[in-house]
Amino acid sequence: MGDDTRERGNEGAGAGGTGDDRVAAARTGADPLHVPVMLDRIVDLLAPALDQPGAVFVDGTLGLGGHSEAILAACPNARLVGVDRDTTALERSAARLAPYADRVHLVHAVYSEIPRALDEAGAAEADAVLLDLGVSSPQLDETDRGFAYAHDAPLDMRMDRTQPLTAAEVVNTYPVSELTRVLRAYGEERFASRVARAIERRRAQGPIESTRELAELVRDAIPAATRRTGGHPAKRTFQGLRIEVNAELSILERTLPAALSRLAVGGRIAVLSYHSLEDRLTKKAFAALATDTTPADLPVPLPDRQPELRLLTRGAELPTDEENERNPRAQSARLRAAERVRPAR
């Protein structure tokens, strides 16, 4: 996802005003601290599944809690199981969601652990699930997290600061072949081998420790003609490193079937992606369950081969031009949603 984020804001989250006030401000862009991406569309898609008493909404990437706050405000019968791997995000969202505390259960976990989070909350199934992928704004905006090439900071990039692997370890210890793989596969960097070799030469003189040092190294490694277009030259390298450090794609591959396995019939799932790698995995997972798999040579559809999902979006939906203008960090967002129409096989 590069420098695009799910939400904007940090220290002020949860402070000032009622939940309804903040939701209204977020919808208009009047709240400068927090702009959840495609907020109204997410509520429109998920709310119909959350009207019955005791309905369970799982926010697998809680962040600052902006989407969850809007769902709780719009769906008074719903209770939230909020999941995040970032302990700081959990602390801040707990403060933000305090007005709904009797309907909120927060779990420190990776979103592939949604089944465990449901078990801890005493819920057999989820009626709605949201996955808002990528890096959240506090992680990007707080310079000491090391996600942004625009700030000088230690090379960290961990969403969960309790895990051992950091970007510094990847940059300074991975063989050139592995670095090339990471930058090409996850960063979609066409000059991955050039960047990896430049990193190898520099780290031979001493460890690369800061985001600024790495960003300058990448800029110098990329041909001058390419540097003049497509944004900051380091954005793809930073994306690749971040995905590697946080195992984002492998976790997402596990998350989608895990979440769908616990989605109730009539339940809905929405996934916000911010780059093609995430969106491709989501599209594939939804399509596999939204297809009649009856063998083509049979004259009638087999009941047990009928689709489990009904797609709620035509392809990937994009933010409106108005939202992109109000919240530039929404520009790369892609939204897909589906409804479970049959029990899981």
Side-chain angles (χ1 to χ4, degrees), residues 113-165:
E113 298 177 292
I114 283 174
R116 173 172 72 82
L118 284 167
D119 291 343
E120 286 189 11
E125 297 179 310
D127 298 286
V129 175
L130 173 63
L131 298 174
D132 187 5
L133 304 173
V135 61
S136 66
S137 286
Q139 292 166 345
L140 184 70
D141 292 339
E142 294 172 5
T143 57
D144 66 332
R145 303 297 294 269
F147 285 98
Y149 45 75
H151 307 292
D152 193 25
L155 274 174
D156 192 325
M157 299 193 193
R158 291 173 298 171
M159 293 178 179
D160 181 352
R161 286 191 277 193
T162 67
Q163 75 171 46
L165 183 65

Side-chain angles (χ1 to χ4, degrees), residues 43-223:
V43 174
D44 289 344
L45 285 166
L46 298 184
L50 296 168
D51 56 357
Q52 71 273 23
V56 176
F57 167 53
V58 175
D59 189 337
T61 47
L62 187 62
L64 286 175
H67 288 107
S68 286
E69 183 178 46
I71 290 288
L72 290 168
C75 305
N77 289 321
R79 59 187 180 113
L80 166 69
V81 178
V83 178
D84 208 293
R85 64 168 80 180
D86 187 334
T87 55
T88 301
L90 289 170
E91 292 169 2
R92 291 176 173 172
S93 57
R96 183 182 189 92
L97 301 174
Y100 309 99
D102 61 333
R103 293 194 279 141
V104 171
H105 182 88
L106 303 184
V107 180
H108 179 221
V110 179
Y111 42 87
S112 59
E113 298 177 292
I114 283 174
R116 173 172 72 82
L118 284 167
D119 291 343
E120 286 189 11
E125 297 179 310
D127 298 286
V129 175
L130 173 63
L131 298 174
D132 187 5
L133 304 173
V135 61
S136 66
S137 286
Q139 292 166 345
L140 184 70
D141 292 339
E142 294 172 5
T143 57
D144 66 332
R145 303 297 294 269
F147 285 98
Y149 45 75
H151 307 292
D152 193 25
L155 274 174
D156 192 325
M157 299 193 193
R158 291 173 298 171
M159 293 178 179
D160 181 352
R161 286 191 277 193
T162 67
Q163 75 171 46
L165 183 65
T166 66
E169 183 174 345
V170 175
V171 166
N172 289 298
T173 68
Y174 273 30
V176 169
S177 60
E178 276 297 285
L179 271 178
T180 301
R181 178 193 63 80
V182 166
L183 302 185
R184 180 176 292 132
Y186 299 157
E188 300 175 288
E189 173 56 74
R190 50 193 276 235
F191 300 105
S193 60
R194 288 181 62 149
V195 173
R197 289 195 301 271
I199 288 172
E200 182 186 40
R201 290 192 296 270
R202 179 70 66 84
R203 72 190 188 188
Q205 304 166 18
I208 301 167
E209 297 178 336
S210 76
T211 55
R212 177 171 297 167
E213 183 180 5
L214 179 62
E216 291 174 353
L217 183 158
V218 174
R219 183 194 62 209
D220 293 342
I222 289 176

Side-chain angles (χ1 to χ4, degrees), residues 261-293:
S261 72
R262 298 289 288 267
L263 188 65
V265 173
R268 295 184 168 197
I269 182 170
V271 181
L272 274 166
S273 304
Y274 296 85
H275 56 70
S276 60
L277 301 173
E278 295 170 335
D279 185 55
R280 196 175 303 135
L281 288 174
T282 303
K283 177 182 178 181
K284 181 179 178 181
F286 283 7
L289 295 179
T291 303
D292 182 346
T293 59

Side-chain angles (χ1 to χ4, degrees), residues 1-16:
M1 182 176 80
D3 60 346
D4 300 298
T5 57
R6 306 193 302 259
E7 304 169 1
R8 183 177 70 197
N10 43 37
E11 301 299 340

